[in-house]
Amino acid sequence: MMKFLFLLLLLIVPLIMVFVALRSRMVTRIFHVLALLCFYSAATVIAGDVYATNAHMTTFTTEIHHFLLNGWFLYPSAYLGVYVPYLLWLSLLSKKS
């Protein structure tokens, strides 16, 4: 049931974002800036944990849960997981000039 809910949200949320973005250029810009901030946030967490793993000379596969359970990684990645389908839907539904 939970997987179905996630799939449904992955379809609905990007479509809502598209319809809101098509009405306002400012909202589109906000979505882009937020995605950029989320990308750098998630990448920083990954880079920091990979560096710590290498510094402690441990195996990365056993240390992977450090960043997978980190909120600074989860929330930005969740937004990026919705943002990419939003971009695809936006390119399909926007008027070509």
Side-chain angles (χ1 to χ4, degrees):
M1 182 66 180
M2 197 64 156
K3 289 181 184 181
F4 178 72
L5 179 65
F6 284 142
L7 179 64
L8 193 61
L9 286 174
L10 192 58
L11 292 171
I12 293 172
V13 172
L15 284 173
I16 291 171
M17 289 171 68
V18 166
F19 290 120
V20 171
L22 289 175
R23 307 227 186 293
S24 170
R25 277 190 104 90
M26 181 60 119
V27 172
T28 304
R29 194 168 295 243
I30 290 170
F31 286 157
H32 293 325
V33 169
L34 188 58
L36 189 62
L37 293 173
C38 287
F39 172 79
Y40 282 115
S41 175
T44 302
V45 169
I46 292 172
D49 279 355
V50 167
Y51 176 77
T53 299
N54 288 338
H56 294 119
M57 298 212 183
T58 55
T59 306
F60 183 69
T61 54
T62 61
E63 299 286 322
I64 197 167
H65 298 97
H66 285 274
F67 75 86
L68 288 179
L69 297 175
N70 187 337
W72 286 102
F73 175 77
L74 282 176
Y75 298 125
S77 298
Y79 177 75
L80 292 174
V82 172
Y83 178 76
V84 171
Y86 152 76
L87 284 180
L88 295 171
W89 279 113
L90 187 64
S91 68
L92 284 173
L93 298 176
S94 64
K95 296 178 184 175
K96 304 292 182 203
S97 46

